[in-house]
Amino acid sequence: MGAYEEKKETCGTICLKYLLFTFNFLFWLAGGVVMAVGVWTLVEKSDYISLLSSKTYAASAYILVLAGAIVMVTGVLGCCATFKEQRRLLRVYFVLLLCIFLLEILAGVLAYIYYQQLNQELKENLRETMIQKYEQQSYEHITRAVDKLQQEFKCCGSNNSTDWAASIWIRSRESNHREVPDSCCKSPTELCGRRDHPSNIYKVEGGCITKLEKFILDHLKIIGAVGVGVACVQIIGMVFTCCLYRSLKAEPY
């Protein structure tokens, strides 16, 4: 009877080891996805981040990058801990899983909070940013972001093209009598912004605020879903780790 119980326990431990190993492999892949989403947000969309007064959007992406990097390292550690059957390593692995879990939940919560306040922030700040900082010294990144925004989303101004009438740059000599920036034009050419007719610029298509808001909201959903989704999967890993930890004999001292 004792031999049967020992054999049964051994089989259970082996099954847990392979389950945890499979989880760690999938977890390692998930870490790559999490980090890729964070890096993609920061690299590809960095211009638009500069148009936001709050750093919450960028913070969520940075947290995902950090969590993804730790996930990939932790996945390797988990495999080592699993096959070496060392309770100490399993304890370290469990603590790291818990830390990553909290980081990803934090990223998801930040994304959700910012999701709620984004509309108000854009209403309060985007127009002022565009008219006060466009083509101004030391704000080249803002100019680049606004030009990219207007061309990519086929829009002109924050609410509409008339916003540019209040622009510091448009009202200066440097604008060369432009009514709007050249990036408002449907076919951008040098000084095309002098003519603000709907056939030439994105006048009837509306302003950029609603289009930028929709764009960022869509990406916040991705950040939140990835963070919370992977965090939920980690719960399974923590359960497997606890089960394997309990099935192993205590280390001799």
Side-chain angles (χ1 to χ4, degrees), residues 158-176:
S158 176
N159 298 299
N160 52 60
S161 60
T162 60
D163 288 340
W164 285 111
S167 166
I168 293 174
W169 177 71
I170 288 294
R171 295 164 67 180
S172 69
R173 291 182 179 179
E174 285 75 17
S175 69
N176 287 321

Side-chain angles (χ1 to χ4, degrees), residues 20-33:
L20 194 52
F21 177 79
T22 302
F23 168 80
N24 276 307
F25 176 71
L26 296 175
F27 188 49
W28 184 84
L29 291 177
V33 172

Side-chain angles (χ1 to χ4, degrees), residues 9-163:
E9 183 180 3
T10 303
C11 289
T13 301
I14 290 172
C15 286
L16 279 172
K17 281 172 62 177
Y18 281 99
L19 279 172
L20 194 52
F21 177 79
T22 302
F23 168 80
N24 276 307
F25 176 71
L26 296 175
F27 188 49
W28 184 84
L29 291 177
V33 172
V34 169
M35 188 162 62
V37 169
V39 170
W40 170 67
T41 300
L42 293 171
V43 174
E44 290 295 319
K45 313 305 171 188
S46 59
D47 287 334
Y48 298 145
I49 290 174
S50 67
L51 296 175
L52 305 172
S53 59
S54 171
K55 303 301 179 186
T56 310
Y57 181 58
S60 298
Y62 278 118
I63 290 172
L64 282 188
V65 172
L66 176 62
I70 298 174
V71 162
M72 298 186 78
V73 174
T74 303
V76 176
L77 175 64
C79 291
C80 295
T82 301
F83 280 99
K84 289 191 175 184
E85 297 187 8
Q86 292 186 5
R87 286 163 65 101
R88 288 178 182 174
L89 273 179
L90 283 173
R91 283 198 295 267
V92 172
Y93 175 64
F94 181 85
V95 170
L96 284 174
L97 277 182
L98 184 59
C99 290
I100 298 164
F101 175 81
L102 295 175
L103 272 177
E104 288 169 340
I105 289 294
L106 177 60
V109 169
L110 283 176
Y112 177 77
I113 291 172
Y114 194 55
Y115 187 95
Q116 304 300 313
Q117 68 183 42
L118 178 63
N119 179 268
Q120 189 61 32
E121 179 187 321
L122 288 177
K123 282 181 180 177
E124 291 175 357
N125 298 298
L126 184 60
R127 183 178 181 276
E128 287 304 306
T129 298
M130 293 173 81
I131 67 175
Q132 296 289 335
K133 298 179 180 179
Y134 185 81
E135 287 289 1
Q136 299 303 299
Q137 191 173 3
S138 76
Y139 289 112
E140 291 81 7
H141 62 294
I142 297 292
T143 301
R144 188 168 55 250
V146 171
D147 286 339
K148 181 179 178 181
L149 176 68
Q150 295 191 140
Q151 276 297 295
E152 190 169 323
F153 293 113
K154 295 179 171 51
C155 56
C156 186
S158 176
N159 298 299
N160 52 60
S161 60
T162 60
D163 288 340

